[in-house]
Amino acid sequence: YILKSRKKGAKLIVIDPRNTSMAKRADIHARPRPGTDCALALGLLNVIISEKLYDSEFVDKWTVGFDKLVEHIKLYPLSEVERITWVPAETIREIARIFATTKPATIVQGGNSLDQCSSGTQTNRAMSILQAITGNLDVPGGFVLTGAVPLNPMRMPGLVKELPLGADEFPFSYQVAGHLIGEGQATLMPDTIITGSPYPIKAMIVSGSNPAVTWPNSPKMVEALKKLDLLVVMDLFMTETARLAHIVLPAATFLERDEMPVFPFIDRNRRYVMLEKKATEIRECRSDFDFWLELAKKMGYSEHFPWKDIDEVMAYLLEPSGLTVKQLREEDAGGLSFGFDRYKEYEHKGFPTPSGKVEIYSETLQKAGYDPLPSYTESPEGPLSNPELAKEYPVILTTGGRYKEFLHSGQRNIPRLRHLVPEPLAEIHPQTAAKYGIGDGETAVVETKRGSIEIKVKVTEDIVPGIIHIPHGWVQANVDVLTDGSPADPVTGFPALKQLLCKVRRKV
C-alpha cells in the first residue's frame, strides 16, 4: 500500500537508524540514535505548534490540555532535540512541516521497536498527539480508529483474587481508567522464580515460545527455568527451552487444528474475519485448545470450561458479533469483511477516554504519578545519562530488527530459509569498524555488563556510526546474553532492548 501510494505522489518519511529497504525509497530518511524517538516527536510538535500548523478547529473542540502542551514543548527546542537524537534540526523542521501540511497523513509504527525503550509509553502518546492535532484522526488516509469485532471474554478475573505479577508496580498493565486489561509484567518473572519473592513460582507451561533464547538476559532466564519443580513445553520442535523441560508435548501445526477467527486485515473501519480450518491430522498431536480444555477438566474446573470442543468455544466467543461457526465454516468459508465504513465516529459518541476527548494532558497518568504530558527519558544505559559507563562501553547496541525469513527463534531449521540467511551478522558502520580494527566478515567480540558473545560482522553504510545492530532469536551469537530484562519504561515496565551500551573488539 505504501509503494502504491508513492506511485500516486504520496510523500514517504522514514525514521530509522538503519537504512532499510523502505528507507531507501523515502523522500526523507531521518536516522536517530536508537531509543530517542520521543525527543524527536516532541521536536516535531515544537515546530508544528510554534508555526501554528495544527488543526485549530479539532484542537479546540476535541482535545484536552493543549495549552499545557504549548508550554511543555518549549523544553524541546530543535537544538536540544538534535543533541539528543543526532537528527539535524533542519531535517526535523522539514519533517514537521511536511507532515502537518500534507492532508491526509498517517504514522505507521513498527511493532515493539518504539515500546522497548525507556520512553516507550510517552513516545506512543507523542505520536498519537501528532496525529490528533494535525487533524488526521479517523479520516480517510489518516489514522483510522478501527472497531474490534465484539467477542465474549475467555478470561475469568472474578475467580482469581490475586493480582498478576507486576500489577502493583505497573498498574496500567492490569487496569486503565476502569478498563480491565488483566495482565501483569512478565519481565519480573525470572527474578521471582529465582528469589521466591514476592511468592514462589514452582511450575510453568510454555506453549509457542522459546524464552531460553528470546527473552532478555537469557542466562538468568535459563537459571529460572532450571529452578522450576515442573516445566512443561508444548512445541513442534525440541527447542532450547524444550530441552530444559520435564515433559515435552507435541504441538499440532496450523494445518492440524481449527483456530479462532482471526482478523489480520484492516480495511478502513472494517476487520476481516476468517476461520482457519484443519486440513489434516497426524498421530497424537493435539491442538492447544484441546490440551487446555482437557487439562481444565482433569483439574476439576469443568464448570468454568463447559465446552466439549473448539467449535463450542468459538460459538461462545462469537455470540456478541452475530457470526456463527457454521457461517464461517460453510457459508463464508473464505472469510468476510466485518464492520462499517463511517469515519469520524467520535463526532457521534466521543473518544473512549474519561473526558470523551483526546487527552493531551492525561489526568489518569498524573494521578498515578506519571508524566501527564509526553516527556523524554534517557535510557539508564545511555551516553547522556551514564557518561562513566559510556566510557567503558562506548558503542550503542540495538537489537531485534526483523528478518523476513524468520519469526523470533523459529524457521531456522528450514533449509531454504537458512540458505538465504545462514548466520547472524552484526551490522556496523565503516567508521565504527575502523575505530575498533574490525574488517567486514571478521568475527567480533561484543560485550555488555551482562555478558559477551562472538559474532561475524557486516560492515555497511546502512547504519548510523557509533551503533551496532544484532538480530535476535539465534542460538549461536544469542544477543539476549547481552540484553537486560530490568524494567526501563516506568509506565509499562518494558526493558530497553533498543538502547543499551556495549564495547566491541576484533576477536584475536
Side-chain angles (χ1 to χ4, degrees), residues 18 116 398-402 469-472 479 497-498:
R18 300 166 68 215
Q116 295 169 347
T398 188
T399 72
R402 305 300 176 111
H469 170 262
I470 301 177
H472 78 298
V479 72
L497 303 180
K498 310 300 180 189

Side-chain angles (χ1 to χ4, degrees), residues 437-464:
I438 307 169
D440 185 51
E442 293 185 337
T443 299
V445 178
V446 184
E447 182 180 346
T448 67
K449 294 194 300 180
R450 271 77 50 190
S452 66
I453 62 171
E454 296 179 0
I455 186 169
K456 188 179 288 187
V457 166
K458 177 183 179 182
V459 178
T460 173
E461 297 274 357
D462 290 342
I463 191 167
V464 175

Side-chain angles (χ1 to χ4, degrees), residues 335-353:
L336 72 158
S337 185
F338 185 97
F340 50 87
D341 291 337
R342 186 165 63 191
Y343 295 100
K344 294 188 176 182
E345 184 69 7
Y346 60 84
E347 292 184 344
H348 305 281
K349 52 187 179 184
F351 290 96
T353 64

